Amino acid sequence: MTLSKTERKIIEASIRDIKDFPKPGIVFKDITTLLNDHKAYGVLMNHLYQRYKEYNLDFIAGIDARGFIFGAALAQMLGLGFVPIRKKGKLPYTTISEKYSLEYGVDEVEVHIDAFSAVPNAKVLVIDDLIATGGTANAAATLVNQTGATCVEACFIIGLSFLDGIKKLEEKTTVYSLIEVN
Ligand SMILES: O=P(O)(O)OC[C@H]1O[C@H](OP(=O)(O)OP(=O)(O)O)[C@H](O)[C@@H]1O
Ligand SMILES: Nc1ncnc2[nH]cnc12
């Protein structure tokens, strides 16, 4: 199930473009306006629910920080557990971690080693608000797979398809992005 034209229009209209943030030449896709728009947020969450109720998922894993907002709400709607994939140094229990490249330098994400252990061979959806270079999502999918679970799909509200993040991630898992920005 994919987004209808009407659903796409409502969601797209609720996302605000901020030019030259955080630096000149970047158009920042601001999802705070989507979250503030009850109708658009509802259309989005209902679409995600309708799509993923067919997937027989075991967990939703959200990426720090904006992926938590969509991931935790979706997990609750689907009756599934939510797992946070966090930036380094935030999780209290034993973790596994994965480094990834940013435009400048490196960063690292972590997950609790037992996050998916309640279900053997768990099927996991990774979710975030946006994919740009794909470094963050790639590291998240790698972590999920390293725990013994499987990342069956990675979902993004916005995909910056002028970068090759989606293409790279598709080598590892199925990718679904609702709004593609060229
Ligand atoms: O595809 P990439 O090039 O890896 O970039 C995408 C990531 O960047 C943003 O998060 P950010 O690291 O800014 O953290 P935040 O959600 O805490 O703002 C966004 O929410 C994604 O997680
Ligand atoms: N253009 C963008 N807008 C919002 N979040 C981002 N993360 C990486 N690139 C981004």
Side-chain angles (χ1 to χ4, degrees), residues 95-106:
T95 60
I96 53 170
S97 63
E98 183 75 12
K99 289 194 174 70
Y100 58 96
S101 302
L102 296 167
E103 242 173 315
Y104 305 108
V106 291

Side-chain angles (χ1 to χ4, degrees), residues 9 26 36 50 60 72 75-76 151 158:
K9 248 184 156 174
I26 304 274
N36 198 248
Q50 294 301 333
I60 308 290
Q76 188 54 224
C151 173
I158 305 156

Side-chain angles (χ1 to χ4, degrees), residues 62-68 84-92 95-98 100 102 106-112 128-129 135-137 139-140 143:
I63 300 178
D64 196 346
R66 290 172 251 160
F68 295 170
I85 296 181
R86 295 222 64 180
K87 300 273 166 64
K88 191 179 170 54
K90 302 285 186 182
L91 287 171
T95 60
I96 53 170
S97 63
E98 183 75 12
Y100 58 96
L102 296 167
V106 291
D107 210 337
E108 199 164 342
V109 281
E110 296 185 324
V111 71
H112 277 153
D128 203 354
D129 67 323
T136 318
L143 279 183

Side-chain angles (χ1 to χ4, degrees), residues 24-86:
I26 304 274
V27 178
F28 191 90
K29 306 302 279 187
D30 178 15
I31 52 103
T32 66
T33 42
L34 188 169
L35 301 173
N36 198 248
D37 180 337
H38 179 257
K39 184 180 173 195
Y41 193 18
V43 167
L44 169 67
M45 294 313 303
N46 179 59
H47 170 70
L48 293 177
Y49 172 75
Q50 294 301 333
R51 178 180 174 86
Y52 288 112
K53 72 179 186 192
E54 316 291 346
Y55 271 58
N56 283 316
L57 295 165
D58 296 303
F59 294 96
I60 308 290
I63 300 178
D64 196 346
R66 290 172 251 160
F68 295 170
I69 303 163
F70 305 103
L74 181 62
Q76 188 54 224
M77 288 169 88
L78 291 168
L80 301 174
F82 173 75
V83 172
I85 296 181
R86 295 222 64 180

